Amino acid sequence: MESSFPSTQNLGFCESAEGKNEAKSYKEMISTFPRVQRWSCYEGFWYFPMFLEGLMSAQDHFIPQSTDIFITSCPKTGTTWLKALTFAICTRSRLSGSSASSLLTKVPHDCVPLLEYDFAQNPMKRDRAVPLVSTHVPYSSLPKSVVSSCCKLIYICRDAKDAFVSLWHFIADLQRSKNIEPLSLEEAFELFCSGISSYGPYWDHVLGYWRASLEFPEKILFLTYEEMKKDTASHVKKLAEFMGCSFTLEEEEEGEVQKIISLCSFEKLSNLEVNKNGKHRADTSFAMKNSVFFRKGEIGDWANNLTAEMGARLDYIMEQKLKGSGLKLPR
Ligand code: A3P
């Protein structure tokens, strides 16, 4: 089965009259949704409009390839790293022994397309040999075609305080580069604590995938950034096993796991020419510097940005929201 929307003719973003009408109707629908700042609320979660149009189009049209594996996350929780690792793992047989990994010349986001933006813009622009699709869409809003498929999903999340701080820097940097005055850290924090942030409420996003991973453990792998940092090697092996491409004994003896860890490390990726000076979606109005995806890559940087009171408040909110779920996020 081929992965795509049925045809570009049916897309909300294409040039056909049908596509244009559909895009218009998504826009019209979105204009009626509750709105705070630039976020619109849909099915209980908050989105910037361009991602929401793509999500609605995906819900209507997207059909996955049966071999697809979805990299899922709330923004700023380690998606770039997880994309790099999964891409390196599943392309290693094509690339073994060579230094020609696409990760050396492309930002990981250009190696693994985003369902609600890249696919919606151009469903044909995909390397079909790479079975990876990413999305920030919450579990409850995923296209039914994905939920009912046999596709696997890998979810990553992170301490809410670090995720918030990372998100604030990311959006503020992008807005400054477009001469838009960003929200202050304090304003954004208040909104985050009331559930309003990109693809938030953060806790509901995490809980949706957590509960699904308990219900379908063979289909959904639930990871945290902190645990992956603590023991990257065992996570790389776990990822490979889950994706159905375990490392052979020979590969392990040849240091393949370590090579992948080094290639995908923050130090390596953030210092590549393409990630220092290149642009993501360079030919679109949504172009951004690749360097925005690499800030510090550390655990606990929230403490350099939030007061202890702010930290304790967000910890308390998360504790209350996750109560009874069996999930304890690292903090
Ligand atoms: P910080 O802003 O805390 O530094 P996402 O990829 O979901 O957008 O998340 C971005 C966060 O992951 C940023 O965190 C970024 O620095 C960090 N990151 C990016 N690449 C990484 C890598 N290869 N290893 C570890 N962390 C990485």
Side-chain angles (χ1 to χ4, degrees):
M1 200 187 351
E2 291 212 324
S3 158
S4 72
F5 296 82
S7 81
T8 47
Q9 298 307 303
N10 288 329
L11 278 171
F13 299 90
C14 67
E15 288 304 311
S16 70
E18 191 189 343
K20 274 187 179 155
N21 286 339
E22 194 171 81
K24 198 168 151 232
S25 79
Y26 291 140
K27 275 199 174 74
E28 278 167 5
M29 284 161 77
I30 292 170
S31 70
T32 68
F33 297 163
R35 194 175 166 125
V36 173
Q37 299 283 341
R38 294 182 57 230
W39 292 285
S40 295
C41 188
Y42 176 64
E43 298 182 343
F45 289 84
W46 295 89
Y47 301 87
F48 284 157
M50 68 263 202
F51 298 116
L52 188 43
E53 276 180 58
L55 163 57
M56 293 166 86
S57 181
Q59 287 180 330
D60 285 345
H61 303 297
F62 181 73
I63 299 164
Q65 211 166 242
S66 57
T67 49
D68 278 342
I69 298 169
F70 287 78
I71 306 304
T72 59
S73 61
C74 215
K76 313 323 288 176
T77 56
T79 323
T80 313
W81 190 22
L82 185 58
K83 281 187 182 186
L85 287 170
T86 49
F87 181 85
I89 291 168
C90 73
T91 57
R92 71 188 191 275
S93 59
R94 289 206 283 173
L95 305 164
S96 63
S98 101
S99 60
S101 173
S102 301
L103 290 168
L104 297 172
T105 52
K106 287 196 226 172
V107 69
H109 298 281
D110 283 335
C111 297
V112 182
L114 183 70
L115 174 68
E116 62 272 28
Y117 191 84
D118 303 311
F119 262 97
Q121 293 285 333
N122 186 352
M124 301 308 166
K125 201 174 163 191
R126 170 175 190 188
D127 179 351
R128 292 191 182 280
V130 179
L132 298 173
V133 178
S134 78
T135 184
H136 292 311
V137 169
Y139 187 77
S140 54
S141 290
L142 284 175
K144 290 200 172 47
S145 59
V146 174
V147 175
S148 62
S149 71
C150 52
C151 296
K152 291 185 172 182
L153 284 76
I154 304 170
Y155 184 73
I156 186 163
C157 64
R158 182 183 195 189
D159 169 37
K161 304 188 294 305
D162 280 340
F164 164 73
V165 165
S166 185
L167 181 64
W168 181 75
H169 280 290
F170 181 75
I171 295 180
D173 277 2
L174 288 181
Q175 290 185 326
R176 275 189 217 105
S177 73
K178 294 186 190 305
N179 295 320
I180 300 170
E181 183 67 24
L183 287 180
S184 70
L185 182 81
E186 289 73 19
E187 283 173 296
F189 184 75
E190 285 305 319
L191 289 171
F192 192 90
C193 288
S194 65
I196 303 171
S197 63
S198 293
Y199 299 85
Y202 183 69
W203 44 87
D204 285 338
H205 201 288
V206 174
L207 278 173
Y209 280 95
W210 169 248
R211 292 194 176 118
S213 75
L214 295 181
E215 199 177 344
F216 310 110
E218 60 307 310
K219 185 175 157 88
I220 304 171
L221 180 63
F222 189 97
L223 305 172
T224 70
Y225 181 85
E226 291 80 0
E227 280 164 10
M228 218 157 83
K229 274 253 176 190
K230 230 180 270 166
D231 184 356
T232 311
S234 78
H235 279 80
V236 167
K237 287 191 230 171
K238 196 192 234 181
L239 279 167
E241 200 184 319
F242 183 77
M243 292 165 74
C245 50
S246 299
F247 291 92
T248 62
L249 209 57
E250 199 184 359
E251 281 179 312
E252 290 204 30
E253 281 168 6
E254 283 169 2
E256 193 66 29
V257 173
Q258 198 48 52
K259 275 186 224 160
I260 287 176
I261 294 172
S262 305
L263 172 65
C264 301
S265 69
F266 182 86
E267 293 66 33
K268 174 76 183 180
L269 291 182
S270 61
N271 283 305
L272 291 173
E273 180 58 26
V274 64
N275 293 330
K276 283 203 286 194
N277 296 312
K279 279 199 169 172
H280 176 45
R281 300 180 183 132
D283 50 351
T284 72
S285 58
F286 195 48
M288 60 183 82
K289 290 190 282 180
N290 289 339
S291 57
V292 292
F293 293 105
F294 305 92
R295 196 179 64 93
K296 287 194 169 179
E298 289 168 6
I299 296 170
D301 185 52
W302 69 268
N304 299 316
N305 293 265
L306 305 180
T307 63
E309 290 72 35
M310 290 163 100
R313 181 171 159 207
L314 190 46
D315 279 345
Y316 180 75
I317 292 173
M318 288 302 289
E319 204 180 297
Q320 294 302 308
K321 299 288 184 185
L322 302 190
K323 210 179 215 167
S325 69
L327 173 62
K328 263 199 176 332
L329 278 189
R331 45 160 136 147

